[in-house]
Amino acid sequence: MNAGARAWRTAVLIPWMLFGVALVASLRVTLDGGLRIVPPPLSALVLALLILMLLIRSGQLQPATLVGGRQPALDRIAGSVALIALGWASAGVMALVIPEAGLPKLAGLVLVTALLANTLAASAGRVASLRALFVTCLAGFIVKFIVLDALFDPGRSLGGRLVTSILEGATLGGLRHEPWAPITGYLAFGILILYFLALSLLPRPSPPAIADGGHHAVEPHGLRHTAHLDR
Amino acid sequence: MGTVRPDLVRALGLSGSVLLAGFTLWLYATTPTTMAEVTGGLASSAGMYRVDPVAFAEGLRFFRADQFAEARLVFERIDPARRDPLVQFYTAYSHYRQGWGRIANDDAQFELGLAALDRAEAVAPGRRIVVDDPDLGAPTSEELRVELVEGLRTDLSDFNPMGVVRKRK
């Protein structure tokens, strides 16, 4: 990649997309058309840290390619900003897909932490880790913006109210949820797509030259694999 | 795209990033509740937020005629972002006067008044408002706050029969 294209990608495209994600992820539109700003809570910051660890471990994020010593100073500053944007956007996305109150919030936190820790411990490859992260976020999105919103929809039927009342009684009032206007769900979906698009754009070092001039290399333990194919 | 110097691109990217991050932090700090508050807040930050003086005078006319709901409708229309200290002060005052009673005050009105006074002080220079208006018995934000807070408090003085002769400020 030439210097100009790299500058556009690391200094403009990725940080702007990620800061955009962080910005819109904190917006909620209430049912009466009002606006609510929800900064990422402490739990989302911790989960963002887990995501960063996961991305680094899987090879999707290589901080040296952003802030390594061989780049010009301005390039390293832009890389640092991109890293900050990535952490901020990750926290925003976590705050967005995890329910915001009561038992659903607790269950969401525990489940997402367990899933991220599991993916981290599994030491999965780049694509597998991204896939696992995407599934985790999508599952949270479905639970929060589709299942819970449907359960707590103010205009739901008598049967729906009955089901909600039974669930609230069974959880001793712990099942709480604040439904947002439908536009919030659409925004959240767009934000998820934008976040993963930005993740896929993160720069990676060029693959090392292959000794046999072809596409295959032999690992020390004898396993043969395609050099350019991600694990 | 390829003709622009990489350093220029990085500078542009950094400027945009700083703007986006700054705007997000500003949203976190101010927590606007409507889009009008967002746009008004931005205009106010740039020193471009203005209230129509003619419409404000119209609102004051309603206020002095004890038509508080009408006055507040005018105030809301001319200050949608709730960023003008004077308009917010008069909004608080209208809640105070509407909620004031010889025997008992309307707590809901007083609470709305306190909220409006908080907004007024938050955007006022030095967090203080002094109004040169002989019609007002409490022309400063401190005096109005005391009136509102004491009106909301329930204590023995509320049962003093001499309270019926007190005057509305």
Side-chain angles (χ1 to χ4, degrees), chain A residues 3-4 7-8 11-12 15-16 19-20 22-23 26-27 34-35 37 39-40 72 74-75 77-78 81 88, chain B residues 1-2 4 6-7 9-14 16-17 20-21 23-25 27-28 31-35 38:
Chain A
W8 276 106
V12 179
W16 287 13
F19 277 124
L23 169 65
S26 63
L27 301 183
L35 204 61
I37 307 296
L74 201 56
D75 203 10
I77 295 172
V81 170
W88 198 346
Chain B
M1 190 165 158
V4 186
D7 279 355
V9 173
R10 288 185 193 108
L12 171 80
L14 284 174
S17 297
L20 269 171
F23 180 57
T24 310
L25 287 175
L27 283 179
Y28 289 175
T31 59
T33 53
T34 59
M35 277 312 286
V38 175

Side-chain angles (χ1 to χ4, degrees), chain A residues 66-91:
Chain A
L66 288 170
V67 292
R70 275 183 290 176
Q71 284 105 356
L74 201 56
D75 203 10
R76 275 180 284 160
I77 295 172
S80 309
V81 170
L83 276 181
I84 292 169
L86 178 58
W88 198 346
S90 303

Side-chain angles (χ1 to χ4, degrees), chain A residues 29-177:
Chain A
V29 181
T30 56
L31 288 170
D32 59 0
L35 204 61
R36 188 87 59 83
I37 307 296
V38 183
L42 200 57
S43 54
L45 298 183
V46 175
L47 291 174
L49 208 60
L50 272 179
I51 290 178
L52 289 184
M53 286 167 66
L54 176 65
L55 293 174
I56 291 172
R57 182 138 191 188
S58 69
Q60 179 63 27
L61 171 65
Q62 301 196 354
T65 59
L66 288 170
V67 292
R70 275 183 290 176
Q71 284 105 356
L74 201 56
D75 203 10
R76 275 180 284 160
I77 295 172
S80 309
V81 170
L83 276 181
I84 292 169
L86 178 58
W88 198 346
S90 303
V93 165
M94 285 294 105
L96 186 67
V97 298
I98 293 176
E100 282 143 348
L103 206 57
K105 179 181 180 178
L106 182 67
L109 273 175
V110 171
L111 277 174
V112 170
T113 308
L115 285 171
L116 288 178
N118 183 50
T119 313
L120 196 60
S123 296
R126 192 175 64 81
V127 175
S129 296
L130 266 188
R131 202 181 293 144
L133 186 59
F134 183 72
V135 169
T136 304
C137 290
L138 195 66
F141 172 83
I142 290 170
V143 168
K144 182 175 174 179
F145 289 102
I146 297 176
V147 178
L148 286 174
D149 270 10
L151 273 176
F152 286 85
D153 180 10
R156 63 194 183 279
S157 63
L158 184 65
R161 285 177 198 280
L162 207 63
V163 170
T164 316
S165 301
I166 291 169
L167 287 173
E168 280 176 338
T171 56
L172 301 176
L175 189 74
R176 284 183 285 124
H177 177 66

